[in-house]
């Protein structure tokens, strides 16, 4: 198994890069997808979140209202810490389980974690950072994902800085260009990953 980290600030284009690497044969362990799975109704995480934050975080169908959760936690440091205490240990455990499943294979495993730098993952053969100026990311979040400017800024403020991420990068994908340019850069990243194989 070849384990490579992938990270980037919100709105940087990390999900597009992750998809491109999966299309080339990588096994992607996606922390955001795991979070969504663990927050489904009926799970322990869902139950603990409802107990901590109240019924206001649920929509009319009884599903988690992610926007309502974001509104609560990204403006309240205590609430954010409480959410992290509920979610992060379970996510870490599930990520570790999925990596272990691949440990005896010769797969390229991409550990796709938005907070990779903050969480201090070790044992990676290398780390890819998808880089984008935060102001450009904010504009893209507003235009393409329906974020308010305040929500986008609050979320970016809670993540590692651009310079902190770049300091941990072994390979940087600059995503300031057009979508077709990003595809070329994903191809280069895949070549780089192949070069890490023993």
């Amino acid at each position: 198994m070849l384990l490579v980290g992938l990270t980037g600030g919100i709105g940087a284009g990390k999900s597009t890069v992750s998809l491109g690497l999966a299309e080339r044969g990588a096994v992607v362990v996606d922390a955001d997808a795991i979070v969504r799975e663990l927050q489904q109704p009926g799970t322990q995480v869902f139950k603990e979140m409802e107990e901590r934050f109240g019924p206001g975080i649920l929509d009319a169908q009884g599903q988690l209202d992610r926007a309502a959760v974001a509104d609560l936690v990204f403006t309240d440091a205590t609430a954010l810490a409480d959410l992290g205490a509920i979610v992060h240990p379970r996510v870490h455990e599930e990520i570790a389980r999925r990596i272990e499943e691949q440990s005896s294979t010769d797969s390229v495993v991409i550990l796709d974690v938005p907070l990779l730098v903050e969480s201090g993952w070790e044992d990676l053969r290398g780390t890819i950072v998808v880089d984008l100026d935060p102001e450009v990311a904010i504009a893209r979040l507003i235009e393409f994902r329906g974020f308010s400017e305040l929500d986008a800024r609050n979320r970016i403020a809670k993540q590692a800085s651009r310079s902190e991420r770049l300091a941990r990068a072994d390979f940087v994908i600059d995503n300031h260009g057009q979508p077709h340019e990003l595809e070329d850069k994903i191809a280069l990243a895949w070549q780089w990953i192949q070069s890490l194989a023993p």
Side-chain angles (χ1 to χ4, degrees):
M1 174 183 70
L2 185 65
L3 183 62
V4 176
L6 173 66
T7 194
I10 186 169
K14 182 178 58 61
S15 297
T16 304
V17 172
S18 182
L19 182 62
L21 295 173
E23 287 170 350
R24 288 164 171 81
V27 174
V28 176
V29 177
D30 181 341
D32 281 345
I34 290 171
V35 169
R36 287 191 290 273
E37 287 173 30
L38 294 177
Q39 290 178 338
Q40 289 300 309
T43 64
Q44 185 63 26
V45 168
F46 181 91
K47 179 170 173 281
E48 290 180 24
M49 285 179 64
E50 187 180 4
E51 286 171 0
R52 166 60 180 86
F53 299 110
I57 64 166
L58 306 183
D59 64 18
Q61 288 73 45
Q63 301 280 331
L64 200 62
D65 181 339
R66 295 183 186 286
V69 175
D71 288 345
L72 271 173
V73 303
F74 287 110
T75 55
D76 181 337
T78 302
L80 184 62
D82 289 348
L83 177 65
I86 293 168
V87 176
H88 291 161
R90 271 62 170 258
V91 174
H92 200 286
E93 195 175 282
E94 181 61 17
I95 287 172
R97 188 189 69 74
R98 294 189 189 190
I99 291 171
E100 178 60 30
E101 282 182 348
Q102 298 295 326
S103 62
S104 61
T105 72
D106 58 1
S107 299
V108 170
V109 178
I110 302 296
L111 180 55
D112 177 350
V113 181
L115 304 180
L116 191 73
V117 171
E118 298 87 328
S119 56
W121 276 93
E122 302 296 337
D123 303 325
L124 301 172
R125 288 295 302 277
T127 297
I128 298 170
V129 171
V130 185
D131 181 49
L132 188 65
D133 181 289
E135 292 302 318
V136 178
I138 288 165
R140 289 183 184 179
L141 287 168
I142 293 167
E143 182 178 354
F144 299 115
R145 289 171 59 182
F147 279 64
S148 69
E149 182 178 349
L150 180 63
D151 188 18
R153 289 191 183 280
N154 282 337
R155 293 190 192 213
I156 283 174
K158 297 293 188 287
Q159 296 186 334
S161 70
R162 183 183 182 191
S163 60
E164 286 170 327
R165 272 192 299 273
L166 288 171
R168 291 286 299 276
D170 299 298
F171 189 96
V172 177
I173 295 177
D174 181 320
N175 192 18
H176 288 87
Q178 298 301 312
H180 70 273
E181 295 175 274
L182 181 58
E183 181 59 30
D184 292 342
K185 291 170 183 176
I186 294 169
L188 289 173
W190 185 245
Q191 287 178 11
W192 173 75
I193 290 167
Q194 300 300 308
S195 76
L196 299 175

